[in-house]
Amino acid sequence: MVRTTLVGNYPRVSDRSLPVNLRQMLHQHDRGEIKDFELERAYQATIARVVKEQEEAGIDLLTDGQIRWDDLLTPITRQLEGAHAGGLLRWFDNNVYYRHPVIEGPLRWRGPATVADYRVAAAATTRPMKAVLPGPITYASLAEDRFYRDFDRLALAVAGALHEEAQALAAAGAPWIQIDEPALGGRPGSVELARTCLHTITKGVKAKFALATYFKPIDAIYPALRTFPLDALQIDVMDRPDQLDLVLQNPPQGDIVLGCLDARNTRLEEPDRLARLLERAAEKLGADRLWASPNAGLEFLPHATAQHKMARLAEAVAAINGKPAELEAR
Amino acid sequence: MTLLPTTTVGSFPKPDYLVRARTLHARNQMSRDELAELERKATREVIALQEKLGLDILVDGEMYRGDMTAFFAEQLEGMGTSGLVRSYGNRYYRKPIVVGEIRRPRPMTVEWYKFAQGLTKKPVKGMLTGPYTMTDWSFNEHYPSRKDTIMAFAEVIREEAEDLQRAGAQYIQIDEPALSTRPDELPIAIEAMHRVTAGLTVKTISHMCYGDFPSIYPGLLQLPVDQLDLEAANNDYALIDLIKTHPFTKEIALGVLDSHDHRVESKEEVAAGIRRALTVLKPEQVTIDPDCGLKTRTWEEAEGKLAVLVAAVREVREELARPKAKVS
């Protein structure tokens, strides 16, 4: 059976009126009108909501929506001794910003950044949950390194910290951990370093590991990437249809997650086109190792569109599996 | 014109009364006419401030604009607005969506240009958002490719630029802050800008910021505008090293104030920055301005920063006017 998952983030606020308006609560908290615990409750209710929405749409492997994350790097930066969050920069080719990490000393993990939200999300569903972490190559390539002054050493230090984070997640019961490496496609020279970093992160951690690529073309790194010791590899075949051929001709070792839905445009995908693409992939690769997902986090979209797209994905996959989406729940 | 003319990138901080009025209008608690009256009041204040500071080339301050793409999207046919999309932290915007053929039913900026120009004898720049940025910062549900979308925007921006020229604008700035986000698309952005500016007799300018300029330099110099407006202050004049790799063949508006920092720079550091830039640029090709629009600063910060900019430029101008000491 083909399964479905999301890449990570998911819209926190909506144009619809929701029981919890996180945007407004954050403003109120800034103005001192609500207490910390009230904001905390709003975060947790929002995480539970996005988990429910994924479940209702029929997604198999869920995420916590990265509801507390202002960007992919900062939650980790805040938990690293030797690093702080610097100024805002453009997040790849998006009109979205991130705080770039500034490295000023040896990196040391101070304690889990993502475990609390993993627990909140896992408690809201019986379905399996995937935790998401930034990859060391992406982290290092976007950091301002005033300490190591050496890309490899910085990436390995980040990988060391992420190993501790991964261990904490696995101890909390996370069955899947996804490492996001959007920058890797643009740094073909770092692909073997990425493999070493991956070994560092995963060593002895009892969880399945996925690696997600997006934004950048991966043709140059694919020959190496397909031999990475991974349980799943995510590849964008929506923005970059050629990458589907790459995968079909020479599949990777583990499962394949096809990013087949455009997470950065509101235009809805044709169900027929989606179904044809997935059928073709399932035929070649076998349905059981195939996953379908958007090609990036859904937070680039307004909430209503994200929900539509997610439903469309689940419906297309349910049709291939020969079952209506709502019977998919395991 | 004097050497090193001074200008600004476009936006000024909105006075508190205007911020409040915009909120009320959004909640249907204030009429469009009442809001417009306050927008005109604020525009008068912005023009008066620039005259007081002694800037050479003025802007209308964009008191009537929210976001640089939404302002145009709201006036174009074929465009709709999406729901809320996050840009960072707790900040959201409504990203425009191209839903049909893009058409311009009527001029979008000409009335405001005329109003602002009517308040001063100094030139006021016409301000547009470029076709590449309009495309990059919108969703597209209509055109088959990004290039088709970009060229469709180029058509309507061209029409607007012609109307601004006809209305008497001497400078038209077509901002392309998104330009460096996909270096492989630079040729399309250049082709689109050609469609916008070909045959215009005014001085054309394009501002870009927060970009990865090394990835598009020197190709960027092919952008068919007379002047490129680039940031320097917020990255310690990294631009200078870039220009050393290939001569800068256009006019440049050099950003010498960090627009996103509360701190008011000192006259000495701004003058030093200009002097450094003049080691790789000819004074005749340089205009001086802040890195970016000033809308995120307070009114006091904007005034303080611009006063420093003008004072620093005066100091450097005097140095340039002095006969050069002989180097032994």
Side-chain angles (χ1 to χ4, degrees):
Chain A
M1 281 220 313
V2 181
R3 284 162 291 172
T4 51
T5 189
L6 299 188
V7 172
N9 63 19
Y10 187 86
R12 320 192 290 178
V13 308
S14 182
D15 297 273
R16 281 207 323 262
S17 135
L18 296 170
V20 174
N21 184 337
L22 188 58
R23 186 187 190 193
Q24 196 180 13
M25 300 280 280
L26 279 161
H27 282 311
Q28 288 171 338
H29 187 260
D30 280 348
R31 293 195 296 258
E33 293 165 12
I34 62 165
K35 298 204 164 63
D36 290 352
F37 81 89
E38 290 172 288
L39 179 63
E40 179 57 32
R41 226 161 40 193
Y43 271 125
Q44 296 193 9
T46 305
I47 293 170
R49 168 180 66 83
V50 308
V51 167
K52 278 289 162 214
E53 285 182 13
Q54 294 171 69
E55 199 179 277
E56 280 160 20
I59 301 296
D60 296 304
L61 181 60
L62 317 186
T63 77
D64 67 7
Q66 295 179 298
I67 294 308
R68 217 184 289 256
W69 299 42
D70 281 345
D71 59 63
L72 185 68
L73 312 182
T74 302
I76 299 300
T77 304
R78 297 228 157 95
Q79 289 303 91
L80 289 179
E81 200 179 290
H84 70 264
L88 292 176
L89 293 174
R90 187 184 302 286
W91 181 241
F92 293 89
D93 55 352
N94 305 289
N95 192 18
V96 167
Y97 297 81
Y98 72 98
R99 289 204 180 276
H100 74 282
V102 182
I103 313 300
E104 299 204 281
L107 294 182
R108 205 180 63 81
W109 186 75
R110 276 198 279 241
T114 60
V115 171
D117 285 354
Y118 167 76
R119 287 186 202 277
V120 172
T125 180
T126 55
R127 295 197 183 195
M129 189 67 58
K130 176 173 70 177
V132 178
L133 299 173
I137 302 298
T138 299
Y139 192 97
S141 71
L142 300 177
E144 182 182 337
D145 180 5
R146 299 179 187 162
F147 178 74
Y148 296 96
R149 300 188 184 277
D150 179 295
F151 186 81
D152 290 24
R153 283 182 61 211
L154 172 58
L156 289 165
V158 174
L162 291 172
H163 169 70
E164 299 195 62
E165 185 74 23
Q167 247 173 348
L169 280 165
W176 277 94
I177 298 170
Q178 174 181 297
I179 311 290
D180 280 17
E181 284 287 23
L184 189 55
R187 297 186 63 102
S190 298
V191 73
E192 286 311 316
L193 176 63
R195 190 198 302 269
T196 309
C197 287
L198 191 65
H199 277 294
T200 304
I201 297 171
T202 59
K203 197 170 181 203
V205 179
K206 290 194 175 51
K208 289 188 171 184
F209 279 89
L211 189 128
T213 61
Y214 43 89
F215 300 157
K216 302 258 185 197
I218 57 144
D219 18 331
I221 57 168
Y222 185 72
L225 206 53
R226 62 173 284 278
T227 65
F228 275 27
L230 287 164
D231 298 292
L233 175 65
Q234 155 117 20
I235 285 167
D236 179 0
V237 300
M238 171 74 211
D239 267 357
R240 305 185 187 279
D242 300 354
Q243 295 187 164
L244 179 60
D245 299 324
L246 216 57
V247 175
L248 296 186
Q249 281 158 20
N250 222 345
Q253 286 182 353
D255 290 359
I256 300 105
V257 189
L258 296 179
C260 52
L261 201 82
D262 195 344
R264 298 196 283 171
N265 196 4
T266 47
R267 177 159 51 193
L268 290 176
E269 282 71 15
E270 297 292 332
D272 287 355
R273 195 201 63 84
L274 256 181
R276 274 199 308 275
L277 184 153
L278 291 170
E279 266 162 16
R280 184 171 155 230
E283 223 165 82
K284 283 254 186 175
L285 304 168
D288 289 341
R289 58 191 289 223
L290 186 64
W291 297 74
S293 87
N295 63 355
L298 287 176
E299 212 194 354
F300 295 108
L301 296 169
H303 178 232
T305 315
Q307 267 196 307
H308 273 147
K309 290 220 174 198
M310 189 167 67
R312 211 157 259 213
L313 181 75
E315 281 159 21
V317 168
I320 287 177
N321 290 336
K323 292 183 192 173
E326 60 268 26
L327 300 181
E328 274 264 280
R330 279 177 286 180
Chain B
M1 184 144 225
T2 43
L3 276 181
L4 307 179
T6 54
T7 189
T8 58
V9 175
S11 68
F12 269 71
K14 293 186 176 68
D16 289 343
Y17 63 81
L18 184 56
V19 174
R20 283 195 297 274
R22 286 170 63 87
T23 309
L24 289 174
H25 177 66
R27 291 185 194 146
N28 290 321
Q29 290 164 359
M30 180 184 275
S31 72
R32 181 62 241 168
D33 284 352
E34 287 171 278
L35 177 62
E37 187 48 48
L38 294 176
E39 288 167 347
R40 284 191 289 273
K41 172 177 151 74
T43 305
R44 284 186 208 102
E45 291 168 7
V46 169
I47 295 285
L49 173 66
Q50 295 173 85
E51 290 207 316
K52 181 178 97 177
L53 288 164
L55 291 162
D56 300 308
I57 301 157
L58 310 194
V59 296
D60 70 16
E62 304 178 8
M63 294 295 116
Y64 53 93
R65 299 188 195 186
D67 169 288
M68 64 183 286
T69 43
F71 171 76
F72 293 98
E74 283 161 9
Q75 302 188 67
L76 289 168
E77 278 175 19
M79 302 225 47
T81 306
S82 80
L84 293 169
V85 176
R86 183 153 78 131
S87 62
Y88 187 76
N90 204 27
R91 292 203 297 275
Y92 295 81
Y93 69 108
R94 290 181 193 281
K95 188 167 174 174
I97 312 180
V98 181
V99 292
E101 295 291 311
I102 298 167
R103 288 205 190 83
R104 188 190 71 137
R106 64 191 70 82
M108 302 179 281
T109 63
V110 174
E111 282 311 307
W112 276 110
Y113 163 73
K114 284 186 187 161
F115 175 75
Q117 188 62 80
L119 299 169
T120 177
K121 292 198 168 56
K122 292 190 171 174
V124 174
K125 293 192 274 191
M127 297 299 236
L128 304 173
T129 301
Y132 188 81
T133 300
M134 286 299 296
T135 302
D136 207 59
W137 293 1
S138 301
F139 294 121
N140 168 33
E141 298 189 2
H142 178 74
Y143 292 99
S145 72
R146 282 172 62 85
K147 182 172 180 184
D148 292 319
T149 321
I150 293 165
M151 294 313 291
F153 274 120
E155 225 37 64
V156 293
I157 296 162
R158 162 82 196 185
E159 291 169 16
E160 187 71 16
E162 280 177 350
D163 282 343
L164 280 168
Q165 176 170 292
R166 207 168 293 129
Q170 299 169 43
Y171 299 83
I172 298 179
Q173 183 172 317
I174 305 125
D175 291 343
E176 287 286 24
L179 196 69
S180 70
T181 45
R182 297 176 195 219
D184 54 321
E185 288 183 344
L186 184 63
I188 305 176
I190 289 172
E191 186 183 336
M193 189 61 89
H194 186 76
R195 180 69 198 114
V196 175
T197 60
L200 294 180
T201 54
V202 296
K203 179 166 284 190
T204 53
I205 305 162
S206 187
H207 165 75
M208 46 206 71
C209 57
Y210 285 91
D212 179 13
F213 296 120
S215 69
I216 51 169
Y217 193 80
L220 176 63
L221 296 170
Q222 302 302 314
L223 195 73
V225 291
D226 300 312
Q227 182 182 91
L228 292 173
D229 180 11
L230 304 173
E231 63 197 351
N234 80 43
N235 51 25
D236 194 27
Y237 293 79
L239 197 59
I240 293 175
D241 288 331
L242 197 60
I243 295 172
K244 282 180 185 160
T245 67
H246 188 285
F248 200 87
T249 50
K250 288 185 184 299
E251 289 186 24
I252 186 168
L254 184 75
V256 299
L257 298 173
D258 187 345
S259 298
H260 297 104
D261 189 350
H262 295 288
R263 187 177 71 89
V264 174
E265 288 82 351
S266 71
K267 184 174 90 169
E268 290 66 34
E269 67 179 293
V270 173
I274 298 171
R275 287 187 204 104
R276 275 169 71 193
L278 289 179
T279 61
V280 294
L281 293 160
K282 292 194 289 289
E284 296 74 27
Q285 71 184 129
V286 180
T287 294
I288 303 294
D289 70 354
D291 278 356
C292 195
L294 292 166
K295 70 178 178 185
T296 60
R297 298 281 54 79
T298 66
W299 187 273
E300 292 70 27
E301 286 164 358
E303 180 170 359
K305 280 174 176 264
L306 290 171
V308 165
L309 179 146
V310 171
V313 167
R314 285 194 180 134
E315 188 174 294
V316 178
R317 273 181 194 157
E318 280 168 24
E319 291 163 15
L320 291 170
R322 262 180 241 141
K324 272 197 184 118
K326 259 209 175 123
V327 183
S328 54

